[in-house]
Amino acid sequence: MELVMTCTTAELMLLVGVCDYPGVAKGIGAATFGKRSEKEWKAILETAEHQLILKGIIDDEKAERGEEPISDEMKTFINRYVQSKWIIRGTDMPRKRALMFHHYEGDDWLAHIIYKDIIHEFYYVTFDEILDQIREYYSFSSGDSVPAEQFFLTEKAFDWLNEPKKVDKVKKKSEFTDEEKRSFEHFLEDLEAKNRYLYNLTTFHFPNGTDNLSPDLYMENVLYHMRDLFFFLPSQNGVWLVEYTPHPKTPVRIYLVTVKEWIERAARFKEVIEV
């Protein structure tokens, strides 16, 4: 793993704009800062420019002479970031973080960690390093085995889990066995510990690269480009995994697995990526 750079959202936005991707720069800015006046945007970008000059990423003297103000290496990095056709994204709302991987060539990817929508870290990684990065990122703890716990829900009941007031409704509408009822209560304890948030890993495909999408890319629903998605929830011992089955009434299976088994499920994104 090789560190490329650490920057703020405003600095990333400015670099993307300098490399002639104004639509992507606008999308990055809108996702973080929302609507701003021209005066506010000017202040944000001026501050970012000053920081990049201090970091030695932008050469102020070259900019004044009308020359390319950033290095060829930095321009190559931004091109790889923007033109990526495959993106793997892992959510982590409780810590206000996100983990992303942007494919740019062959076996090579950019690992991208976002902290509170403000700080971005980029690393060059190989395809084989991605699963290790995901496992390290989530810091799961688990032994070689976990209790045999599972339960089944309708799709509507699964959606209700996002609303605390409807948990009792889920219990009433679900025909749990005694074992499933105990598993469901255990799951609810873990869900409450994570502020009622389910994590997910998603794979997106952009055939023409993200530069050809609308400027509002980061604000839009991009489900059309989604190739794989699965939900999970860390437990004190193991991980709850959400799986869709062909069952006509209760297709959502939620069951406890070891970290090793969770990693095996996460590895399935390799099956949908065409590089």
Side-chain angles (χ1 to χ4, degrees):
M1 186 171 69
E2 176 189 351
L3 176 66
V4 181
M5 71 175 300
T6 300
C7 65
T8 65
T9 298
E11 291 167 356
L12 179 62
M13 178 185 175
L14 180 60
L15 287 170
V16 169
V18 168
C19 291
D20 299 322
Y21 298 110
V24 177
K26 180 181 177 182
I28 294 172
T32 299
F33 302 109
K35 292 184 178 180
R36 298 296 179 103
S37 66
E38 288 298 322
K39 185 177 180 180
E40 288 174 318
W41 280 123
K42 183 178 179 181
I44 289 170
L45 293 176
E46 282 183 352
T47 300
E49 183 180 17
H50 294 158
Q51 292 299 317
L52 290 172
I53 290 172
L54 288 174
K55 292 179 180 181
I57 295 174
I58 285 183
D59 189 320
D60 191 34
E61 293 182 358
K62 286 185 176 180
E64 290 180 353
R65 295 196 299 266
E67 299 175 11
E68 184 66 62
I70 62 175
S71 67
D72 290 341
E73 291 80 7
M74 182 56 61
K75 194 166 186 177
T76 296
F77 155 67
I78 294 297
N79 287 336
R80 288 169 171 171
Y81 166 68
V82 174
Q83 295 175 9
S84 174
K85 293 180 172 60
W86 288 95
I87 296 175
I88 299 165
R89 183 183 69 190
T91 60
D92 188 1
M93 286 297 292
R95 294 189 294 176
K96 297 182 179 179
R97 295 167 58 180
L99 174 67
M100 303 178 75
F101 296 92
H102 308 260
H103 177 255
Y104 64 90
E105 184 179 47
D107 192 44
D108 299 319
W109 294 68
L110 278 169
H112 179 191
I113 303 175
I114 307 171
Y115 301 89
K116 298 183 179 180
D117 286 332
I118 298 173
I119 304 298
H120 301 254
E121 288 183 0
F122 292 93
Y123 300 85
Y124 284 128
V125 296
T126 63
F127 192 82
D128 291 337
E129 291 176 309
I130 290 179
L131 283 180
D132 287 335
Q133 289 293 307
I134 292 173
R135 180 169 50 236
E136 182 179 334
Y137 177 77
Y138 286 112
S139 302
F140 293 144
S141 60
S142 174
D144 295 330
S145 62
V146 294
E149 296 197 49
Q150 70 172 352
F151 57 93
F152 296 83
L153 297 173
T154 64
E155 290 191 70
K156 182 175 290 187
F158 178 62
D159 291 337
W160 286 340
L161 290 177
N162 292 320
E163 303 177 51
K165 294 181 180 180
K166 292 187 177 180
V167 169
D168 288 338
K169 191 173 183 179
V170 173
K171 294 179 183 179
K172 292 177 182 179
K173 294 289 185 179
S174 301
E175 299 176 358
F176 291 141
T177 64
D178 290 341
E179 291 80 6
E180 288 177 333
K181 189 178 297 183
R182 284 192 291 269
S183 295
F184 181 68
E185 293 295 341
H186 181 193
F187 173 82
L188 286 180
E189 291 175 5
D190 290 329
L191 190 62
E192 289 292 342
K194 296 298 181 181
N195 297 318
R196 308 199 63 79
Y197 176 78
L198 281 175
Y199 298 75
N200 70 70
L201 275 176
T202 319
T203 303
F204 296 100
H205 183 215
F206 305 104
N208 299 313
T210 55
D211 181 41
N212 292 296
L213 297 176
S214 82
D216 297 322
L217 162 68
Y218 293 86
M219 305 295 286
E220 289 181 345
N221 184 335
V222 291
L223 289 176
Y224 177 79
H225 302 280
M226 189 182 295
R227 288 296 186 89
D228 189 26
L229 165 69
F230 76 95
F231 294 93
F232 58 95
L233 177 72
S235 182
Q236 291 184 349
N237 180 32
V239 186
W240 292 100
L241 187 60
V242 180
E243 179 179 82
Y244 282 84
T245 73
H247 196 281
K249 292 184 178 179
T250 54
V252 183
R253 179 194 180 202
I254 301 178
Y255 60 109
L256 197 62
V257 299
T258 64
V259 172
K260 180 181 178 181
E261 291 170 319
W262 181 88
I263 288 293
E264 289 174 354
R265 171 58 185 86
R268 280 173 50 183
F269 65 71
K270 293 182 180 181
E271 300 174 7
V272 302
I273 293 173
E274 305 157 5
V275 298

